[in-house]
Amino acid sequence: SQKIEQNSEALNIQEGKTATLTCNYTNYSPAYLQWYRQDPGRGPVFLLLIRENEKEKRKERLKVTFDTTLKQSLFHITASQPADSATYLCALQETALIFGKGTTLSVSS
Amino acid sequence: DAMVIQNPRYQVTQFGKPVTLSCSQTLNHNVMYWYQQKSSQAPKLLFHYYDKDFNNEADTPDNFQSRRPNTSFCFLDIRSPGLGDAAMYLCATSRGTRTEKLFFGSGTQLSVL
């Protein structure tokens, strides 16, 4: 079955910098990949979906890329703010959506 | 305007004492999911319903059962909770199962004493 690896458990950056989070998967390339944000003690919230035929997707300060050759998606937050501090989860479809364990981003002012 | 509501927010049960967690949705979505998430781990899919069609993940223990009496409600029953079942239980919904984003509730944090 598919395995999702989000290599960095924690990422600490300064306010205003760009945060880049990595999601790798092991088997077949999914038709699409999703990113969610999860705050402590809360359920995940959907952020972006990117399809296999899309190289890049943007939403405000967020950008996602999808490289099926590398089996990798990158998630970028530009001009990061302390309010962006959260855990970011990558997810892809099997019988239903499966998730990586996430990368916890801390943005310091 | 909460869309996926989970009750209770925190649940404490005793080892071996059956417990039921509930989830309701106002989105009229076809699919409802239950995920288990332990501290610093990925949400793990337990099962999902597409309408009344129940789909169990192969590695979901028999100790976990689910009921969906109607479109709006879904329940997670843990028949004999063990210490290892202490976790956050997340309910989610989607319109369909393909290319659909999930809407999550706030979760129920289960403690087993």
Side-chain angles (χ1 to χ4, degrees):
Chain A
S1 62
Q2 192 74 273
K3 283 191 171 30
I4 301 173
E5 296 163 354
Q6 293 187 253
N7 292 338
S8 298
E9 284 199 10
L11 180 63
N12 300 305
I13 63 169
Q14 280 196 313
E15 183 174 11
K17 302 290 187 186
T18 295
T20 298
L21 286 63
T22 304
C23 173
N24 293 289
Y25 54 91
T26 55
N27 295 343
Y28 58 87
S29 281
Y32 59 92
L33 190 145
Q34 301 186 30
W35 284 88
Y36 288 76
R37 170 183 171 139
Q38 186 174 25
D39 290 288
R42 311 297 292 184
V45 175
F46 172 79
L47 295 175
L48 280 168
L49 180 153
I50 186 166
R51 300 176 197 281
E52 61 179 340
N53 61 350
E54 297 175 318
K55 288 285 190 274
E56 183 179 295
K57 199 84 167 276
R58 290 178 186 261
K59 178 183 174 184
E60 297 172 352
R61 294 184 295 110
L62 308 180
K63 184 178 85 171
V64 173
T65 64
F66 193 5
D67 188 327
T68 55
T69 302
L70 293 178
K71 297 188 178 181
Q72 181 179 83
S73 176
L74 298 179
F75 177 82
H76 307 270
I77 306 175
T78 57
S80 59
Q81 304 165 0
D84 296 326
S85 299
T87 297
Y88 292 87
L89 304 168
C90 166
L92 51 83
Q93 185 80 24
E94 289 218 308
T95 53
L97 213 57
I98 62 168
F99 287 84
K101 63 189 297 186
T103 296
T104 299
L105 174 66
S106 296
V107 182
S108 55
S109 54
Chain B
D1 60 345
M3 295 180 289
V4 182
I5 303 159
Q6 290 189 244
N7 285 308
R9 187 82 176 85
Y10 300 94
Q11 176 74 57
V12 180
T13 191
Q14 290 182 330
F15 182 95
K17 185 174 180 183
V19 65
T20 295
L21 310 182
S22 72
C23 177
S24 65
Q25 56 135 338
T26 60
L27 297 163
N28 204 33
H29 280 174
N30 292 318
V31 193
M32 295 188 78
Y33 308 80
W34 281 104
Y35 287 84
Q36 177 195 63
Q37 187 177 28
K38 297 184 178 180
S39 182
S40 301
Q41 293 188 22
K44 178 180 179 297
L45 180 65
L46 296 174
F47 23 59
H48 71 278
Y49 277 93
Y50 193 114
D51 288 333
K52 289 193 178 294
D53 183 20
F54 178 69
N55 298 273
N56 198 30
E57 292 301 295
D59 57 354
T60 298
D62 293 339
N63 197 26
F64 292 86
Q65 305 283 315
S66 184
R67 296 170 283 134
R68 189 179 184 186
N70 54 51
T71 301
S72 301
F73 286 88
C74 197
F75 300 97
L76 171 62
D77 301 308
I78 308 177
R79 294 193 295 189
S80 181
L83 298 178
D85 297 327
M88 172 77 88
Y89 289 88
L90 296 163
C91 174
T93 73
S94 66
R95 283 185 306 175
T97 55
R98 296 285 171 184
T99 325
E100 295 288 348
K101 63 184 181 182
L102 266 56
F103 293 80
F104 281 87
S106 294
T108 294
Q109 183 67 50
L110 177 69
S111 300
V112 181
L113 304 179

